[in-house]
Amino acid sequence: MSRPRIVIVGAGFAGYRTARTLSRLTRHQADITLLNPTDYFLYLPLLPQVAAGILEPRRVSVSLSGTLPHVRLVLGEADGIDLDGRTVHYTGPEGEEGTLAYDRLVLAAGSVNKLLPIPGVAEHAHGFRGLPEALYLRDHVTRQVELAAAATDRAECAARCTFVVVGAGYTGTEVAAHGAMYTDAQVRRHPMRTGMRPRWMLLDVAPRVMPEMDERLSRTAERVLRQRGVDVRMGTSVKEATHDGVVLTDGSTVDTRTLVWCVGVRPDPLVESLGLPMERGRLLVDPHLQVPGRPELFACGDVAAVPDLNQPGQYTPMTAQHAWRHGKVCAHNVVASLGRGQRRAYRHRDMGFVVDLGGAKAAANPLGLPMSGPAAGAVTRGYHLAAMPGNRVRVAADWLLDAVLPRQAVQLGLVRSWSVPLESASPEVARVPGRPERTGKETGAAGTAGTAGTAGTAGTAGAAGTAGTAGTAGKHADGDEAKKQPGGEPAKKQHSDEPAKKQQSDEPAKGQPGGEPGKKQPGGEPAKNQPGGEPAGRGPDAASAGSQSHGERAKRSQSGSPRASGKPRRAVEAAGPRPARGGSAKPGKSTRASGAGSAGKRPTAPSGPSRSAGPPTDPGPEPPANQPPPGPDIAPGPVRRTDRRAAEGDS
């Protein structure tokens, strides 16, 4: 008799705990497969400390292969489930597709960002649900403070050192608390010329900070925030976001370059495609975490509406504490369905909540006992060390070093703004050049489909979001959304010979994005606003392009070039007065919709032969198609004029 096949979708709190418990209970008598887009389990409660420079990123990421013995890890994202055929279809990190057959399936896909239909938020805000977003926020805040310190204009300085956090739940509160400490430490070492100080704002339509928590702890958290100078505004949210600031619901305008979106989460839309009974976006299960009528299907974590046996008629909230406990009960019930042991119903006991506010400050109520100050800080950090499935010694060492040494406020530049759009398919995976976009699963126009598990603090209700916010942007199929992207129809609707037919010898194809002549650009210069501002020598095929005619380049794009026409590229600087080439998109593959859409096209340099006789250099990274416009956090690099006149400062 063949061994049973168990597939787990997602390695968040619920999925990771299920896999670890199953590995122990099955005793090598079952094939366990874990499908996840990353090779680590992310301990989300400590993510604000990564953004504040207290912990290094690897401290909060626990290796799946290193801590889950006898579990097969498959890197990919599930985009379709055939319940009758008992298969899971997935797409790998390099575009490869695969299918996993199962005898038992555990859905633990977690939750995704919840985005309200507010103009400009998708284009100008960034979420806080994964390591890439935390690393980006750390670099971005550091850059803004440094630019503000060097600015002589008070208005510019005030805008750059103003940071707006939307959502006063657990995540938003911790981000504002740690962020204020981080920027204050920077300014103490490098005072600003204008004498101004960083300003943090925390907005929420709820009546108080962290409405899910006990009122006394909520007051403690708000008091700590106000002592650190955080402008806490309850009953207020964002009405519109722009490139230079935000308009609030009370009619006031705040000039800022930073908007952090922490309004809450919603269940991963993967479960909606199953056509099974739902409860507010979550899959209905029985107290044994089993889907009624589907004995082979289990669900736990944020995607499951688990009946709360302690409060009849209600369901357990979307918190890390519940997801972690779901995983253990689910593993026992999966094994029981295979004929070993007895099923268990999920019951829980409230152990309390902890919120780290930075330094020695915290708010906690372990076992219902309200605490604040250093005692609460010690309990909070002790809880996190006990709850983490790995890296405990490293985390404790980083905490000790942070207590005795100043933090290193440097920009690494590893994550760019366009790599972490708010509507990204997976907040735990940064968008990189060449990485295929996920297809086959409809996502909300403002939501993101990640599988990192629950948001908020472990042992907290941070994933519940903020009270009073309701509704998400409407959904569109991937194809419909792609039509709304700048640049017109997706590449798959172009015939393979169209680029070659439309491209003349002296001018690029005008119907394709990025192909407009340079004369239509202001000043006749290459696009300055492309992220990175890398020299032309680092652009793909930049130097070797000089010996190719337009017809030859078009022919090469037909024959399987990594980039066909249609994708904007970075602004470049040539070794001589050479314009940058227009970019290209993959032929025959439609780009994934970005939900709320990007902010529009940027002009690119004209296509033309290179005048450089130098050897080709290594190509640098290329931003993906339909990237949002770079924010002020990306300083453009030097560029050359294209009108053969030396720019000011050119040699």
Side-chain angles (χ1 to χ4, degrees):
M1 182 178 179
S2 61
R3 303 200 305 177
R5 299 163 299 180
I6 305 173
V7 174
I8 305 169
V9 177
F13 281 93
Y16 180 86
R17 186 76 183 277
T18 301
R20 193 170 75 168
T21 308
L22 278 174
S23 176
R24 176 176 56 86
L25 294 178
T26 56
R27 299 178 181 178
H28 321 299
Q29 300 302 313
D31 294 329
I32 306 172
T33 302
L34 179 61
L35 178 64
N36 198 59
T38 64
D39 64 348
Y40 58 84
F41 159 74
L42 178 62
Y43 191 74
L44 276 168
L46 295 181
L47 203 58
Q49 298 190 25
V50 174
I54 300 175
L55 298 177
E56 291 302 314
R58 286 187 175 87
R59 304 297 186 256
V60 299
S61 52
V62 180
S63 171
L64 296 178
S65 57
T67 57
L68 296 177
H70 317 299
V71 174
R72 175 194 173 205
L73 173 63
V74 176
L75 293 179
E77 298 181 74
D79 49 32
I81 299 176
D82 183 359
L83 295 178
D84 296 329
R86 295 195 177 188
T87 57
V88 177
H89 183 271
Y90 69 91
T91 302
E94 297 182 353
E96 69 278 11
E97 297 184 352
T99 302
L100 299 174
Y102 64 85
D103 297 307
R104 297 292 184 272
L105 176 63
V106 178
L107 291 178
S111 53
V112 301
N113 285 327
K114 180 174 67 176
L115 191 63
L116 305 181
I118 299 175
V121 167
E123 293 84 2
H124 304 290
H126 286 86
F128 197 80
R129 296 221 5 102
L131 275 179
E133 293 172 325
L135 292 175
Y136 166 76
L137 182 63
R138 178 176 173 178
D139 275 3
H140 174 79
V141 170
T142 304
R143 182 181 299 114
Q144 295 308 309
V145 172
E146 291 173 349
L147 292 175
T152 56
D153 181 66
R154 290 187 62 86
E156 179 187 357
C157 180
R160 291 194 180 279
C161 63
T162 298
F163 308 95
V164 179
V165 181
V166 184
Y170 293 90
T171 302
T173 300
E174 290 184 340
V175 168
H178 284 280
M181 290 188 64
Y182 180 62
T183 54
D184 285 346
Q186 283 185 270
V187 173
R188 280 196 298 269
R189 289 193 295 269
H190 305 286
M192 297 184 182
R193 295 184 182 183
T194 58
M196 303 186 68
R197 297 190 62 82
R199 174 192 181 195
W200 284 79
M201 297 182 65
L202 181 61
L203 312 177
D204 203 315
V205 296
R208 58 186 175 91
V209 173
M210 294 186 297
E212 305 89 355
M213 185 176 266
D214 180 82
E215 189 172 352
R216 287 174 294 182
L217 299 183
S218 177
R219 289 197 302 266
T220 299
E222 184 172 350
R223 183 176 66 252
V224 172
L225 291 173
R226 294 190 184 277
Q227 288 174 351
R228 291 181 183 166
V230 178
D231 185 1
V232 181
R233 298 191 185 185
M234 294 292 98
T236 306
S237 188
V238 173
K239 182 180 180 181
E240 181 182 0
T242 64
H243 179 75
D244 299 320
V246 293
V247 179
L248 306 184
T249 53
D250 60 6
S252 60
T253 300
V254 178
D255 293 334
T256 181
R257 302 291 190 271
T258 308
L259 180 60
V260 187
W261 192 258
C262 303
V263 298
V265 294
R266 64 188 181 92
D268 192 302
L270 172 67
V271 297
E272 297 178 1
S273 63
L274 301 180
L276 298 174
M278 310 288 292
E279 170 63 27
R280 294 186 179 181
R282 294 198 283 174
L283 192 62
L284 277 173
V285 297
D286 60 23
H288 303 94
L289 309 180
Q290 201 165 15
V291 177
R294 292 283 179 176
E296 78 285 356
L297 182 59
F298 296 80
C300 54
D302 288 353
V303 298
V306 183
D308 191 341
L309 299 182
N310 295 333
Q311 301 180 25
Q314 298 187 20
Y315 299 93
T316 58
M318 297 165 58
T319 67
Q321 188 181 72
H322 282 292
W324 188 252
R325 296 174 179 179
H326 285 174
K328 182 177 180 180
V329 174
C330 183
H332 280 278
N333 291 338
V334 169
V335 173
S337 70
L338 298 175
R340 297 182 182 179
Q342 299 294 324
R343 295 199 307 170
R344 301 181 181 181
Y346 178 71
R347 293 181 180 274
H348 70 93
R349 180 189 175 192
D350 189 358
M351 302 295 292
F353 303 96
V354 293
V355 178
D356 191 339
L357 300 175
K361 301 296 181 64
N365 61 345
L367 302 177
L369 177 63
M371 301 178 65
S372 61
V379 170
T380 298
R381 296 201 168 183
Y383 171 83
H384 286 316
L385 286 179
M388 287 193 68
N391 297 343
R392 296 187 180 95
V393 175
R394 291 184 173 93
V395 170
D398 276 4
W399 283 341
L400 178 61
L401 292 175
D402 181 71
V404 298
L405 297 176
R407 299 180 195 174
Q408 294 177 306
V410 295
Q411 308 173 46
L412 299 180
L414 299 178
V415 182
R416 294 294 190 178
S417 176
W418 55 265
S419 298
V420 285
L422 188 58
E423 65 280 4
S424 171
S426 296
E428 69 273 16
V429 179
R431 290 175 59 181
V432 296
R435 180 177 180 268
E437 305 297 344
R438 182 164 61 173
T439 60
K441 182 172 71 171
E442 293 184 0
T443 58
T448 61
T451 56
T454 59
T457 307
T460 70
T466 60
T469 57
T472 58
K475 294 185 178 180
H476 303 285
D478 289 341
D480 293 338
E481 289 180 6
K483 295 179 182 179
K484 298 180 181 180
Q485 298 297 323
E489 295 294 323
K492 69 179 182 180
K493 294 190 177 182
Q494 299 176 358
H495 297 291
S496 60
D497 59 343
E498 283 184 5
K501 290 192 296 184
K502 291 185 179 180
Q503 207 166 19
Q504 304 297 325
S505 59
D506 294 325
E507 108 184 79
K510 296 183 179 180
Q512 300 179 11
E516 293 296 324
K519 65 183 180 180
K520 293 187 179 181
Q521 300 179 16
E525 297 183 7
K528 293 184 179 180
N529 294 330
Q530 296 286 351
E534 298 292 334
R538 294 183 174 272
D541 305 327
S544 61
S547 60
Q548 297 181 4
S549 66
H550 287 278
E552 290 172 341
R553 288 197 298 273
K555 186 181 302 181
R556 193 178 71 139
S557 67
Q558 296 181 41
S559 60
S561 169
R563 291 177 286 274
S565 59
K567 182 183 292 185
R569 297 178 61 185
R570 293 176 180 266
V572 295
E573 178 189 16
R578 176 181 60 191
R581 290 181 53 209
S584 54
K586 290 187 179 181
K589 200 172 187 72
S590 64
T591 57
R592 184 183 180 275
S594 63
S598 56
K601 290 190 291 184
R602 290 182 297 279
T604 57
S607 175
S610 169
R611 297 183 179 271
S612 172
T617 55
D618 293 335
E622 174 194 7
N626 304 327
Q627 68 187 46
D633 54 286
I634 300 178
V639 294
R640 298 280 188 181
R641 300 181 65 92
T642 59
D643 53 6
R644 295 183 178 85
R645 291 181 297 173
E648 186 175 80
D650 288 349
S651 59

